[in-house]
Amino acid sequence: MEYIFVTLLLFVSILIYFKIADKYNIIDKPNHRSAHTQITLRGGGIIFPIAFIIFCFFNVNEAIQNYWSFGLGLLSICTISFIDDIRTLSNKIRLSVHLISVILLLYFTGAFTLMPVWAWPILFVVIIGTLNAYNFMDGINGMTGLYSLVTLSSLAYINREVIQFTDHNFIYYPILACIVFLFFNFRKKAKCFAGDVGSMGIGFWVIGLITLLIMKTGEYKYILLLAIYGMEVVLTIIERLLLKENIFEAHRRHLYQLFANEKKVSHLIVSFVYALCQLIINIFLIHSQLPIWAVILIIFIPTGGVYLGLKWSLKKKYNL
């Protein structure tokens, strides 16, 4: 009954937000880089910080004792991202808040005590880079929600069947938020987009869970629960550097963008294929007993080859 009630609360919350967004004109207007053509409500991803607030309401004592640092980090990064959705902020302000949020996240996961001091800067770079990768990949209907649902479901399975590394509800609540968000976003004509508040919010939560898992097991292979996003973003950045483009400017060079924009494949199909590929990788990753170097080779050689082949083919066909 708890999960049904939570789902209803999330559903009502996002409907209330739609009224607010419509009244104050919080919308996404398509431009030449957009993969959509209609004006759509922005910031639907506010449901993810709301999910954490509801989690705290149902787990007050535990939230105060164990989740306060995570909550401060999540709400900070979501607040600054929501403001940035409405009005453009300077990079210095955004990065400063991101840095503070990541410090709180690492404190929450115990990384400062479990990892040597020399590894801390590496963790900062990896986490901030992964957060931005989550943001870069939020470009078409269903992508953020469906991909996050696959990753969170995999983490829930690990938590229940392999090794418990956190409270079960700490994974179930963002799963419920993803399902509610997808109800409005996984459509041919989306009712809303996640916005920076959504991609950063759920990205922060997912990264926090993966970091907890790595700290608990010492198995760095679990970063590959985000393998598809990681491969796509890294290879696209390399491509843009080779083309001498500004990697901090918005673009349409991701493979999913080429399929959605140039080839006109349905957003829903593209998002589903990305999520399915990550699911297949996760199943192999969870059950594999191979050393991490072998797992990396088995995952990235075929997927990287397919990715580069498809991208080369599309760029050649459309003279990009």
Side-chain angles (χ1 to χ4, degrees):
M1 282 297 295
E2 176 186 342
Y3 300 130
I4 294 175
F5 185 58
V6 169
T7 303
L8 289 174
L9 279 177
L10 290 168
F11 199 91
V12 171
S13 298
I14 200 168
L15 289 178
I16 293 172
Y17 171 73
F18 288 164
K19 294 289 186 182
I20 296 171
D22 189 52
K23 180 178 180 180
Y24 291 99
N25 206 34
I26 306 174
I27 57 175
D28 189 292
K29 293 182 180 179
N31 56 42
H32 68 281
R33 293 185 297 264
S34 302
H36 58 283
T37 57
Q38 293 185 329
I39 293 175
T40 309
L41 293 177
R42 176 184 257 182
I46 199 171
I47 194 170
F48 299 116
I50 289 174
F52 178 74
I53 293 170
I54 295 173
F55 168 79
C56 292
F57 179 80
F58 282 100
N59 304 270
V60 177
N61 293 331
E62 190 175 0
I64 293 173
Q65 293 176 8
N66 302 321
Y67 293 97
W68 66 267
S69 55
F70 174 84
L72 285 177
L74 176 69
L75 295 178
S76 296
I77 203 167
C78 286
T79 299
I80 201 68
S81 298
F82 185 71
I83 294 172
D84 197 43
D85 277 332
I86 299 172
R87 51 177 296 183
T88 302
L89 296 173
S90 71
N91 288 331
K92 288 183 179 180
I93 295 175
R94 285 191 295 107
L95 289 176
S96 297
V97 176
H98 289 182
L99 182 61
I100 294 169
S101 296
V102 171
I103 290 172
L104 289 165
L105 179 66
L106 291 176
Y107 177 82
F108 163 71
T109 60
F112 287 133
T113 56
L114 295 173
M115 300 290 289
V117 175
W118 62 263
W120 295 358
I122 298 173
L123 288 173
F124 280 114
V125 172
V126 169
I127 291 175
I128 290 177
T130 306
L131 277 170
N132 281 282
Y134 236 93
N135 199 26
F136 294 157
M137 293 297 290
D138 178 38
I140 61 174
N141 300 356
M143 179 66 79
T144 294
L146 208 57
Y147 189 88
S148 298
L149 183 61
V150 165
T151 304
L152 288 166
S153 299
S154 301
L155 286 163
Y157 175 83
I158 294 169
N159 197 50
R160 184 165 289 280
E161 302 296 335
V162 181
I163 182 171
Q164 184 170 356
F165 60 93
T166 191
D167 181 83
H168 295 305
N169 284 338
F170 193 55
I171 308 178
Y172 294 157
Y173 276 56
I175 286 177
L176 294 176
C178 280
I179 292 171
V180 173
F181 173 70
L182 283 168
F183 178 80
F184 297 100
N185 179 255
F186 193 68
R187 306 180 181 195
K188 184 177 180 180
K189 296 180 180 179
K191 173 70 174 177
C192 68
F193 295 140
D196 286 358
V197 61
S199 56
M200 285 294 187
I202 191 59
F204 189 86
W205 207 327
V206 168
I207 292 166
L209 288 167
I210 291 176
T211 306
L212 280 175
L213 177 57
I214 292 173
M215 293 300 114
K216 178 75 173 181
T217 63
E219 294 278 357
Y220 292 95
K221 70 175 185 177
Y222 289 115
I223 192 65
L224 297 177
L225 290 169
L226 298 174
I228 295 295
Y229 267 23
M231 181 191 68
E232 168 92 60
V233 171
V234 170
L235 290 179
T236 302
I237 288 175
I238 292 172
E239 176 189 4
R240 298 193 72 200
L241 288 173
L242 291 173
L243 293 171
K244 298 181 179 178
E245 294 180 353
N246 185 346
I247 62 172
F248 298 105
E249 289 184 353
H251 62 93
R252 290 174 60 160
R253 291 196 178 276
H254 286 300
L255 180 62
Y256 77 84
Q257 292 172 319
L258 297 181
F259 271 110
N261 299 326
E262 272 65 40
K263 200 168 176 59
K264 306 301 180 185
V265 178
S266 166
H267 288 201
L268 308 188
I269 293 175
V270 176
S271 295
F272 177 79
V273 170
Y274 268 70
L276 179 62
C277 289
Q278 186 63 63
L279 177 61
I280 293 169
I281 288 173
N282 291 355
I283 292 170
F284 166 72
L285 183 68
I286 292 168
H287 297 288
S288 173
Q289 299 299 318
L290 296 171
I292 188 170
W293 64 266
V295 172
I296 291 173
L297 290 177
I298 291 172
I299 289 175
F300 283 113
I301 289 178
T303 53
V306 170
Y307 174 88
L308 291 173
L310 287 171
K311 201 164 195 180
W312 179 83
S313 176
L314 288 173
K315 291 181 70 175
K316 182 179 179 182
K317 180 176 180 180
Y318 296 103
N319 297 315
L320 300 172

